Amino acid sequence: NIGVIIMESNSGKIKSIVQKDESEANINLGIEQMGYEPGSIYKVITLSSALEHGIININDTYTCNGDICKHSHGKITVEKAFEISCNDVFAQIGCKLGYDKLMEDSKSQGLYNRVLNFAGDNKNEAMGMMPTEDLGMNNISIGQCMNVTPIQMIGAINTVVNNGIYEKPYIIDSILDKDDNVVKEFKKDEKKIYSETTAKIVKNAMIQVIKNGTGKKAYVDGVVAGGKTGSATG
């Protein structure tokens, strides 16, 4: 199945949440599942956190010997490693960053917890599963050994798009009575996670993924777009 979510970046308001086969359990919320391994899209969080905590600079160089990647990329910058999705380099970055900082930043952006709070009749929104430190930062840094949902990840990646401010995704503005009077209004749930500088650097790196890296098939001339490719085990 394939799921698509469209969200306002500055508010968290879900404009559309659909999937190819609507007869199946909601894939975007991970219903009837534990969530899914994010794979390399998680590198957006690894990169952002490492930059924010001053662990790395985007122009720092690392060496990929092909220990995790299928082949050696040699000596490359952090930005290039993100562009081509180098596992070796991001494993090294994750080890420098450390488990506690990475998990703290991940949880603060809605990972490993319900976002829309759908629950009941065995149709619960998945919470995902936070990795334990013993699974190794080499794996965790590249989005392995964990489970998340698409609704969690769109909120987390949008933190970068929204200049470092996390907006919790939501689908209900307010509750009205029979006369259209507002009974209850839901306020935005937002928090500052990264500096604008960090967000700007990562946004530019995501643009390079589409222009020159693993996401070139999504490039459209004249359109500014960014992204991150990812694959994971089943």
Side-chain angles (χ1 to χ4, degrees), residues 40-210:
S40 289
I41 62 172
Y42 187 79
K43 290 173 184 170
V44 174
I45 299 175
T46 303
L47 176 61
S48 300
S49 295
L51 289 168
E52 184 66 19
H53 291 287
I55 305 298
I56 60 167
N57 184 287
I58 195 68
N59 295 315
D60 288 347
T61 57
Y62 287 81
T63 300
C64 167
N65 294 316
D67 295 331
I68 305 176
C69 293
K70 291 182 179 179
H71 57 272
S72 171
H73 294 117
K75 192 173 183 178
I76 53 177
T77 65
V78 171
E79 183 174 49
K80 189 65 177 179
F82 185 80
E83 181 183 309
I84 63 176
S85 203
C86 175
N87 289 334
D88 280 46
V89 170
F90 269 81
Q92 294 174 63
I93 292 171
C95 288
K96 289 183 68 175
L97 175 62
Y99 176 83
D100 291 338
K101 289 186 177 69
L102 188 54
M103 289 302 103
E104 181 181 351
D105 288 344
S106 296
K107 290 189 292 182
S108 68
Q109 297 175 83
L111 269 63
Y112 322 125
N113 204 356
R114 293 192 180 105
V115 176
L116 299 182
N117 294 316
F118 278 92
D121 298 328
N122 298 318
K123 300 294 183 182
N124 296 330
E125 174 186 350
M127 294 183 66
M129 184 177 67
M130 188 173 77
T132 55
E133 189 171 3
D134 63 289
L135 293 171
M137 289 304 295
N138 283 1
N139 295 317
I140 295 169
S141 304
I142 61 174
Q144 304 291 336
C145 302
M146 69 177 74
N147 291 85
V148 299
T149 64
I151 193 74
Q152 291 172 357
M153 286 305 299
I154 193 173
I157 291 177
N158 183 62
T159 300
V160 170
V161 178
N162 197 39
N163 298 318
I165 298 175
Y166 171 73
E167 299 282 357
K168 186 177 181 180
Y170 72 98
I171 58 173
I172 300 175
D173 279 319
S174 58
I175 297 174
L176 309 179
D177 64 17
K178 61 183 179 62
D179 299 316
D180 290 337
N181 298 310
V182 176
V183 176
K184 182 177 181 180
E185 191 169 12
F186 296 89
K187 296 180 180 179
K188 293 198 301 181
D189 185 356
E190 63 181 27
K191 65 182 77 171
K192 183 77 171 177
I193 306 295
Y194 308 127
S195 68
E196 288 191 32
T197 299
T198 293
K200 183 177 180 180
I201 292 170
V202 180
K203 276 193 285 187
N204 183 67
M206 291 172 70
I207 290 171
Q208 296 308 309
V209 169
I210 301 299

